[in-house]
Amino acid sequence: MNDNDYLKFKIEINTYCLSILSDRLNTIKKNLDSLMDAKRNETKSSAGDKYETGRAMIQNEEELFKRQGAETRKILDQILRIDPDKICSKVEPGALVLLPSGHFYIGAGMGKMHVAGKDCFAISLSSPMGQALKGKTAGSTFQFQDKEIVILNIY
């Protein structure tokens, strides 16, 4: 791939991350809406304990979905702050880092993904790998898990 291909790839990764996060938020919203319907339709029966247990389970699920929503919005905010068109000269949010072990997109910890026919890892600067890479430039070496790794290029 040439420089332009890598820059396009970086934009595709960013778009893919935004799409995944949008899908997650939509799923969480649908699940919350479903729980709200279940809560409204829960009728108090003569077996009061059964009613209370059902309400408590719904409440626990609601809290779980709300936490997931908050975490997803936090990750979305990190990705939205990135200008994917920016060419990075050092490892910073929005950088696509090429290492001998693969492509790393610095933005938010979303893990391994397959974009445009290639595997890449979306990581945050606060991850162990992100901390090892932070501020480095192309050609730099760094230590990670007792290995010396060279940064092949940064876009």
Side-chain angles (χ1 to χ4, degrees):
M1 284 196 328
N2 63 36
D3 288 353
N4 283 336
D5 291 337
Y6 278 114
L7 294 173
K8 287 178 190 172
F9 181 49
K10 182 170 86 160
I11 292 167
E12 288 173 342
I13 294 169
N14 187 275
T15 302
Y16 185 75
C17 288
L18 291 171
S19 173
I20 287 174
L21 293 168
S22 176
D23 289 348
R24 278 187 201 167
L25 285 172
N26 286 335
T27 299
I28 290 167
K29 183 183 180 327
K30 285 178 188 172
N31 289 336
L32 276 170
D33 290 346
S34 223
L35 280 175
M36 293 302 109
D37 287 344
K39 194 188 270 188
R40 279 191 297 277
N41 294 332
E42 184 79 16
T43 57
K44 191 159 189 160
S45 67
S46 58
D49 286 347
K50 181 180 173 189
Y51 169 78
E52 293 303 323
T53 300
R55 297 277 297 179
M57 288 174 63
I58 289 171
Q59 185 66 35
N60 287 342
E61 284 187 64
E62 182 181 356
E63 289 172 14
L64 172 68
F65 288 131
K66 285 182 178 179
R67 280 194 308 273
Q68 289 174 343
E71 183 61 31
T72 302
R73 281 187 290 282
K74 181 178 164 186
I75 294 169
L76 179 62
D77 185 53
Q78 290 174 324
I79 297 295
L80 287 172
R81 280 187 260 147
I82 292 171
D83 176 6
D85 295 320
K86 179 183 176 191
I87 299 170
C88 300
S89 58
K90 65 179 182 174
V91 177
E92 61 184 324
L96 176 62
V97 182
L98 301 172
L99 301 177
S101 57
H103 305 89
F104 291 80
Y105 182 66
I106 311 299
M110 295 181 62
K112 185 177 181 177
M113 49 185 65
H114 193 74
V115 179
K118 296 171 210 54
D119 288 333
C120 65
F121 297 88
I123 65 171
S124 73
L125 275 180
S126 60
S127 69
M129 175 67 94
Q131 285 295 297
L133 286 166
K134 188 175 184 177
K136 301 278 190 287
T137 58
S140 299
T141 59
F142 65 99
Q143 290 289 126
F144 187 72
Q145 296 180 342
D146 298 325
K147 294 178 188 165
E148 188 165 304
I149 303 169
V150 64
I151 298 174
L152 302 175
N153 214 336
I154 299 172
Y155 296 95

